[in-house]
Amino acid sequence: MHESERHRLILSAVQERPVATVVDLVNLTGVSEATVRRDIATLHMQKKLRRVRGGAEAIAPPQFVGLAGRTFAVNETMRIKQKQAIARAACELVNDGDPIIINGGTTTFQMVHPLASRRVQVFTNSFPIAEHLLKHSKNTVMLSGGVIYREQQIVLSPFENDVTRNFYARRMFMGAQGVGPLGLMEADPLLIQAEHKLIGQADELVVLVDSTKFEQRSSLVLCPLERAKVVITDDGISDRAAAMLEAADVELIVAPVAAANEEDGAAS
């Protein structure tokens, strides 16, 4: 990642929470701790943020605290071919007429393209997913209510008695920040609270993650690995990660990226 892009992410992160720790920023940018500390020092000297012990904070503290993690706009451009292949494989599990939940995220967003020619009932907390399906498909779309988080372009409700409880799904499709022996991991407690409610409304949980997510970790565990019925990833998955899923009795679907690219080329 280029220095200017790292600086933009770091400045965005400190505007979204009271203090962004060095560990937070390492996970966000994917670079070393030493590089993050140098970036913080540079931005501190430029008076764009304030360096504090263990991290950084905004010069003007945020009035509204956002969610941890990369923004939708940044994530959308990363590993796009892998995400498209994974999403295509996920849509093969969907039959016309199925009620499904699609959790907000850039990998799950790629499901909208194969679903454009389908007729399913979709419940989502994602503005981009809802908007695309409304414009380009005949699917029935239900959008959750709550607080709008602009950077991630999702809607999260702090209330227990929201519309989520009134939707039943055959399957829920979701991503994750990381996947490890302890389970599926997320970056923010608000995301975990919302996703717990959605998971409870579906018979089966299908997890869409590119192969790099098996190397990423977070301090927050969403649910045990065994809760997932299926994990769909790309052909970069390691033998160790595949063995971990097998030990947890989770079905693994590997979407070959090269084959997906050939299909895209033939269709264009």
Side-chain angles (χ1 to χ4, degrees):
M1 185 180 293
H2 192 271
E3 182 183 79
S4 61
E5 179 64 17
R6 293 200 311 273
H7 287 186
R8 187 173 75 82
L9 283 175
I10 290 170
L11 290 172
S12 175
V14 300
Q15 288 295 335
E16 293 171 356
R17 64 201 83 171
V19 175
T21 68
V22 170
V23 173
D24 289 338
L25 298 175
V26 166
N27 290 332
L28 185 66
T29 59
V31 298
S32 68
E33 184 176 316
T35 300
V36 164
R37 290 187 184 277
R38 286 196 297 271
D39 287 340
I40 290 175
T42 298
L43 293 167
H44 176 83
M45 292 294 293
Q46 294 173 354
K47 300 186 184 305
K48 293 182 178 179
L49 54 69
R50 185 179 295 110
R51 181 170 55 186
V52 298
R53 184 177 179 84
E57 65 180 9
I59 298 295
Q63 298 296 311
F64 176 77
V65 178
L67 301 174
R70 294 190 185 98
T71 66
F72 185 93
V74 170
N75 264 339
E76 188 178 17
T77 62
M78 302 177 69
R79 293 178 287 277
I80 185 66
K81 292 300 182 183
Q82 288 86 345
K83 292 175 180 178
Q84 289 170 343
I86 292 166
R88 186 177 290 107
C91 288
E92 291 177 1
L93 301 178
V94 181
N95 298 314
D96 283 350
D98 279 355
I100 62 173
I101 295 172
I102 306 180
N103 194 50
T106 54
T107 305
T108 51
F109 172 75
Q110 292 301 325
M111 292 179 67
V112 300
H113 305 297
L115 287 178
S117 60
R118 308 290 288 279
R119 290 290 186 97
V120 296
Q121 303 172 59
V122 179
F123 183 95
T124 186
N125 58 6
S126 164
F127 269 125
I129 291 173
E131 180 181 35
H132 193 281
L133 291 177
L134 284 171
K135 287 182 177 179
H136 303 288
S137 81
K138 298 297 185 181
N139 295 292
T140 300
V141 181
M142 182 181 293
L143 190 64
S144 64
V147 178
I148 301 168
Y149 290 82
R150 290 181 177 84
E151 295 297 311
Q152 282 78 16
Q153 297 190 33
I154 60 175
V155 185
L156 301 179
S157 172
F159 308 110
E160 284 297 320
N161 59 338
D162 59 24
V163 70
T164 301
R165 299 299 188 194
N166 300 107
F167 190 86
Y168 155 78
R170 176 75 180 87
R171 292 184 177 91
M172 174 177 171
F173 297 87
M174 67 172 290
Q177 188 191 46
V179 180
L182 290 179
L184 309 179
M185 288 166 279
E186 276 294 359
D188 193 284
L190 287 175
L191 284 173
I192 287 181
Q193 180 186 15
E195 288 166 355
H196 267 301
K197 287 193 292 185
L198 290 172
I199 290 171
Q201 300 304 114
D203 287 340
E204 296 179 0
L205 177 62
V206 181
V207 180
L208 284 62
V209 287
D210 69 74
S211 55
T212 65
K213 297 297 181 70
F214 294 98
E215 308 304 323
Q216 296 182 23
R217 297 292 183 266
S218 171
S219 60
L220 301 175
V221 178
L222 169 64
C223 66
L225 198 53
E226 294 80 2
R227 179 62 181 84
K229 174 72 173 177
V230 181
V231 168
I232 307 176
T233 190
D234 60 79
D235 47 13
I237 184 173
S238 67
D239 292 341
R240 183 180 62 180
M244 175 186 69
L245 296 173
E246 182 179 4
D249 197 27
V250 178
E251 179 184 350
L252 170 63
I253 296 177
V254 176
V257 178
N261 290 344
E262 289 171 6
E263 288 178 17
D264 290 343
S268 61

